[in-house]
Every structure is written in structure tokens, then in C-alpha cells.
Amino acid sequence: MVGEVSDNDVHISLDDQKMINKFARQNQKLEEIKDELKAASTEIDTLGDCSADVEELALTAEEGVTIPYMVGELFVMEEPDQVQTLLEERKANLQKNMKVLEGEASTVRDAMADLKTQLYAKFGEAINLESDQ
């Protein structure tokens, strides 16, 4: 019949809704962290390739040759050895940042696992908290 309420309908209290919303926010935060980790990993790979190119240039170029190095929105002309140092520093900073992000991701996953346990205990199969990926 039209308008019947099925037996599977579950009452959701305000506290339950707050937990569901918190889980959704944590899930979004985790996705953002994953995106940042992927971008940092890609940049580290790019810096490695660039470092190899600069090293090759340093070996084959004449004395006093400078190459452009991007700082912010402008390029600065530097010697290959200096550029190599700057690239390694940037790479080290990115790796350090990745460790921090991985720690944050772990904390978020732990919080999500706790919320997931509580929500599944209350709602069972009436709620889906699994990622589609």
C-alpha cells in the first residue's frame, strides 16, 4: 500500500545523526589527506627526475652556467650545484610533510573505525559506511 512504513525503517536520534555527520566529515578529511599525499608523492617523483637532469647538466655544462629555479611565481637563475641543493631540500620537506599527513590519516582512520563500530552496532545493515572505491 502507498504510505506504509516498512519494518526496516530505523529511528535516528540527534546523537546518532551527529555521529553519522562526524563520520562523513572524517571520511572527507581522509580523502583530502589522500589527495595531498598523492600530490606530494608525484612532486617528489618530479623532483627526482629534475635532480637527475640538473646533475647531468652540471657534468656537461661549461663553468658559470646558470639555470632557472622557480621560487614562488618567479624564476631565479642559480648554478646547478645550488639548484641541486634546493631540490634536495624541497624533497626532504615534502617527505617530512608526507610523514605528518600519514600520521593524520592514521588518526582519522582510527576515529572512523570507532564511529563505524558504534554505528553498525546500532543500525546493522540499515546503514552503509563503506567506501565505493
Side-chain angles (χ1 to χ4, degrees):
M1 291 187 166
V2 176
E4 277 190 37
V5 177
S6 83
D7 292 335
N8 292 336
D9 286 345
V10 177
H11 174 71
I12 300 176
S13 69
L14 180 60
D15 289 336
D16 296 336
Q17 188 61 51
K18 286 180 181 178
M19 280 198 308
I20 293 167
N21 291 345
K22 185 175 181 180
F23 182 87
R25 284 191 306 272
Q26 294 293 325
N27 189 49
Q28 181 62 38
K29 185 175 182 178
L30 182 60
E31 291 303 315
E32 290 170 1
I33 291 171
K34 286 180 183 178
D35 289 345
E36 288 180 42
L37 283 168
K38 184 177 179 183
S41 177
T42 301
E43 187 171 349
I44 287 173
D45 291 343
T46 302
L47 289 172
D49 294 343
C50 186
S51 181
D53 291 344
V54 169
E55 187 175 332
E56 182 180 329
L57 178 67
L59 295 173
T60 60
E62 295 178 13
E63 188 78 23
V65 170
T66 59
I67 55 175
Y69 179 78
M70 188 172 198
V71 179
E73 294 183 10
L74 59 103
F75 286 93
V76 179
M77 300 303 285
E78 293 285 349
E79 292 188 12
D81 292 338
Q82 180 64 25
V83 171
Q84 191 75 13
T85 303
L86 293 169
L87 290 173
E88 293 303 320
E89 288 173 3
R90 176 72 180 144
K91 193 173 177 181
N93 287 338
L94 283 168
Q95 289 170 335
K96 191 185 320 179
N97 187 37
M98 283 182 70
K99 286 183 182 178
V100 170
L101 288 172
E102 288 166 354
E104 288 178 20
S106 178
T107 302
V108 169
R109 281 189 197 100
D110 291 345
M112 286 176 65
D114 183 46
L115 288 167
K116 190 182 285 190
T117 301
Q118 293 175 37
L119 290 167
Y120 275 134
K122 178 152 186 165
F123 297 108
E125 291 183 18
I127 191 168
N128 181 11
L129 302 173
E130 301 302 319
S131 177
D132 292 336
Q133 299 174 356

